Amino acid sequence: MDDELRKEVIRKAAIKANKGKRVVSPSVTPIYPAAIEREYQKLADEYIGCVKTVFLKHFGAVKAASKERTDDINDRDFTAIIRTAFADMEVELTNVLNRFGLKRRLMRIAQRMNNHSAEEFVRMLKSVSIDVTKDMFMGDFFRRELEKWVEDNVNLISTLPHNTLSAMRKTCLNGWLEGKSITTITKEIRHSYKSVGKNHARLIARDQTAKLSAKVNQSHQQAAGIKEYTWICCMDGRQRKDHEKLHNKKQSWDNPPIVDTRTGARAHPGEYFQCRCRAKPVIDLSVLDL
């Protein structure tokens, strides 16, 4: 049986199983990949945590010198000590990050996402009597999508540790020159670490998980010839009003809806910043391409 004939057999069988209906919607809703988001957040915490490990190892020398603040060690001398300590941190941080395996670990997350999305799509297809395996969504086209996401995320997150350490260094130098105690400076450095590094890394993890999920889900649906979807809002009390208005409304993959009425921005579910909405396929069985 050639490929086109096989596809036609699948279409006719699906239409018959759905009592003659040609356009159907799955009875199940796609599940947001919360476990994969948590995995990325854990990775982000570990990655930015390299800064904290290196900082704690070298900052003791700065603390020790601060206790000797007398006429014999003026501000110029002490700023030199700070600069030296942070220069040592930079060197060690580079070495630690080189051993971290960021790209490899991000690819593992991306592969899990593709697997999750494929399983969800297969589950939705089965709910309308279309029995396929997830293997057809694991080919070279989808692998290239994953590789691009990994490269983009390496670029996004790889600069964070050095940017964070630079902010901590600036906080330390400015605090000392302003006459603050080492205790106060240490507290402010911790704040810099959290605001510039840790919180930013977690923000990237949440946003990029949703974006990858959205991209892979769209690719799976369009590869199967699906042109429309129903917007599914998370509806957990944290949803945007504009996205809530889109809930359960049919949309076209060729024409993303307005997701921010203030700016006029258009996007599909999961593409907009911090969006956790999902796209449930509207399946035209007469043109299904599986």
Side-chain angles (χ1 to χ4, degrees), residues 218-251:
Q218 179 179 354
S219 296
H220 287 167
Q221 291 191 29
Q222 289 186 308
I226 293 169
K227 300 181 182 302
E228 295 180 315
Y229 63 88
T230 300
W231 186 291
I232 303 296
C233 185
C234 53
M235 305 297 280
D236 61 357
R238 295 186 293 152
Q239 71 275 8
R240 294 177 172 94
K241 290 295 182 183
D242 287 334
H243 295 203
E244 186 176 339
K245 291 175 184 176
L246 292 168
H247 184 57
N248 277 334
K249 292 184 178 177
K250 189 186 294 186
Q251 308 294 337

Side-chain angles (χ1 to χ4, degrees), residues 137-155:
F137 306 110
M138 298 292 173
D140 288 344
F141 172 77
F142 302 108
R143 192 190 74 246
R144 289 193 294 272
E145 294 268 2
L146 303 185
E147 288 173 349
K148 184 180 184 308
W149 180 85
V150 169
E151 290 297 333
D152 289 345
N153 275 256
V154 167
N155 292 333

Side-chain angles (χ1 to χ4, degrees), residues 109-155:
I109 289 173
Q111 288 168 340
R112 277 197 64 193
M113 181 66 78
N114 193 44
N115 190 65
H116 167 88
S117 183
E119 288 178 347
E120 284 299 290
F121 192 34
V122 166
R123 186 171 70 92
M124 287 186 285
L125 290 173
K126 285 185 177 180
S127 78
V128 291
S129 302
I130 302 168
D131 193 7
V132 294
T133 68
K134 67 180 182 180
D135 294 342
M136 64 175 57
F137 306 110
M138 298 292 173
D140 288 344
F141 172 77
F142 302 108
R143 192 190 74 246
R144 289 193 294 272
E145 294 268 2
L146 303 185
E147 288 173 349
K148 184 180 184 308
W149 180 85
V150 169
E151 290 297 333
D152 289 345
N153 275 256
V154 167
N155 292 333

